[in-house]
Amino acid sequence: MQDTLRIDATGARTTGAAIHVPGDKSITIRAVLLGAAANGETVIHYPLDALDTRSALDAVQALGAKVEDRDGAWIVHGGKLKSPSAPVDLGNSGTALRLLAGLLAGMDGMEAVLSGDESLRSRPMGRIVEPLRLMGADIEYLEHEGSAPLRVKGRRLQGISYEMPVASAQVKGALMLAALSADGETIITERIASRDHTECMLPLFGAPVHISENDGARSIRVHAAKLQAAEVNVPGDFSSAFLWVVLGALMHGNGIRISGVGQNETRMGALRAMQDAGADVAVHLTSYLGAEPVGNIRISPSRLRPLHIAPASIPLMIDELPLLALAASQAEGESVLEGLGELRHKESDRITETARVLAAFGVKADADGDTLLIGGPQMLSPTEDDCGDDHRIALLALACALLAGGESTLHKFSSADVSYPLVSDAVKAVIGYR
């Protein structure tokens, strides 16, 4: 994709066309990592082919797994992984680094340095290192306390009972993968639900997961298990689909239809928030890919009421919040998005960056600590802006440019390739503009 995107959105409107979004990033990365550790040949159908998932592929190859592309499906020949000869570069993928740390921590004889780009090396790693050390993991910070690069030396682990202090699918996933090599049972308790893709996928690879609910808490029990190769079908990525949900609701025209998108309830928080605000959305479940529900979404132009997002809802919409803030700017009244602190630990400080991008297009959004206050409806104006190095902020800027109409220029737009390659081509196919 070009690094600078120039778009003339004069007369932009939705055409009622159907769109199929690329495969789910979170599910693709998990399938690659588990396939590398499993005995046999894992086949991943409809994977997301993007920068973050390629980082995961490169990582498992550095660890000794063989990978091939067979007519668009990724084949991972797994088994016994080996210590790499050089640091493993996870690029920009926090999911891949954190989950891989958990996976390698229990492999006797393994020694690996896990690193990434400047953004990834600035993100907090203590949230996985501390509980993994409680299991007996030997993990060392090599440069700065609390951040990558990490040196992981595999050793025998011990199962623990651990209550999650923050709602994080990456932390939970790292502990679950470590539990596969630990003596005894590992019990992970979360008071606030987070994405459950790891729980959904592990049984496909022969690792039983037992889940129970008690007094509002969710407990996940995992024992040691030898992974066996699996066949994984990857649904369309809901976070990518949410771009079209927002555009379909806010733009003039005939709306948008999205097909084959994952409808996991732990990912649908932003869609539910849009429905609560009055968005004209129809959701149809059509099938299951493994344990993941898949279906279609239709979104039509809508008048929105103010959005009120509570902290407990944030983990279920964490990647969609920048776009949800844009939707709030078009609602009739003041919207309040609370408990956004986790956004400060992503590829950028997404609270600050969301407010900055909205301001560049003429929208006032007040950041008060971990809360965004956004009045509406506000008019957007075309502009020239820098997307930085955050793919979610690039998609926000693209949506703003389409809603603003006229000519906008977006620099560093290639950051969108991390999760949604060729999105600008998809826009040309689905949105009518000059």
Side-chain angles (χ1 to χ4, degrees), residues 256-302:
I256 294 173
R257 293 176 290 127
I258 315 163
S259 63
V261 64
Q263 296 186 6
N264 185 308
E265 276 300 319
T266 64
R267 294 287 294 277
M268 299 284 278
L271 187 73
R272 304 303 180 213
M274 290 286 286
Q275 289 176 315
D276 290 344
D280 184 358
V281 181
V283 180
H284 301 284
L285 176 66
T286 59
S287 63
Y288 281 82
L289 296 181
E292 299 283 352
V294 180
N296 305 324
I297 299 172
R298 179 194 55 76
I299 178 75
S300 301
S302 308

Side-chain angles (χ1 to χ4, degrees), residues 50-345:
L51 292 179
D52 269 12
T53 55
R54 284 284 170 179
S55 292
L57 278 183
D58 291 344
V60 300
Q61 291 179 95
L63 291 161
K66 180 184 175 183
V67 176
E68 59 179 307
D69 188 321
R70 189 182 298 165
D71 297 326
W74 289 355
I75 315 300
V76 182
H77 302 269
K80 185 173 176 58
L81 300 179
K82 61 183 182 181
S83 299
S85 58
V88 179
D89 183 359
L90 281 308
N92 195 244
S93 180
T95 298
L97 192 150
R98 291 183 175 116
L99 294 185
L100 192 56
L103 186 66
L104 300 183
M107 294 185 178
D108 268 337
M110 171 64 65
E111 182 172 344
V113 173
L114 307 181
S115 190
D117 65 15
E118 182 179 357
S119 169
L120 184 52
R121 295 195 306 273
S122 71
R123 289 178 237 166
M125 294 297 155
R127 56 180 55 187
I128 61 160
V129 171
E130 292 171 12
L132 287 172
R133 284 175 173 172
L134 292 177
M135 300 178 75
D138 184 351
I139 303 180
E140 175 187 2
Y141 299 114
L142 293 184
E143 293 181 6
H144 303 289
E145 187 74 14
S147 60
L150 307 175
R151 176 179 284 119
V152 181
K153 295 181 180 180
R155 61 191 296 184
R156 193 79 177 179
L157 303 180
Q158 181 64 47
I160 60 170
S161 293
Y162 186 74
E163 182 164 333
M164 297 280 292
V166 295
S168 169
Q170 294 178 6
V171 176
K172 179 176 61 174
L175 296 180
M176 293 176 70
L177 298 191
L180 299 174
S181 303
D183 293 329
E185 182 179 60
T186 294
I187 306 172
I188 304 164
T189 302
E190 52 181 5
R191 297 283 172 182
I192 300 176
S194 61
R195 295 179 179 184
D196 65 359
H197 297 307
T198 306
E199 297 97 299
C200 288
M201 189 174 294
L202 277 175
L204 290 177
F205 287 86
V209 176
H210 303 283
I211 299 173
S212 59
E213 307 268 353
N214 187 36
D215 292 333
R218 183 172 180 266
S219 293
I220 305 148
R221 298 171 183 266
V222 186
H223 291 85
K226 293 188 181 298
L227 299 179
Q228 301 300 321
E231 192 164 356
V232 181
N233 291 284
V234 181
D237 195 311
F238 176 77
S239 296
S240 296
F242 194 67
L243 168 70
W244 305 107
V245 171
V246 170
L247 292 175
L250 302 185
M251 294 184 70
H252 297 295
N254 297 315
I256 294 173
R257 293 176 290 127
I258 315 163
S259 63
V261 64
Q263 296 186 6
N264 185 308
E265 276 300 319
T266 64
R267 294 287 294 277
M268 299 284 278
L271 187 73
R272 304 303 180 213
M274 290 286 286
Q275 289 176 315
D276 290 344
D280 184 358
V281 181
V283 180
H284 301 284
L285 176 66
T286 59
S287 63
Y288 281 82
L289 296 181
E292 299 283 352
V294 180
N296 305 324
I297 299 172
R298 179 194 55 76
I299 178 75
S300 301
S302 308
R303 294 180 62 180
L304 299 182
R305 298 183 293 271
L307 289 85
H308 297 282
I309 308 300
S313 302
I314 297 302
L316 306 183
M317 56 179 73
I318 191 70
D319 287 334
E320 295 77 48
L321 283 162
L323 285 166
L324 201 59
L326 172 60
S329 76
Q330 303 308 301
E332 298 179 353
E334 184 175 69
S335 295
V336 181
L337 286 66
E338 299 181 272
L340 307 182
E342 189 64 18
L343 290 185
R344 297 195 186 278
H345 306 296

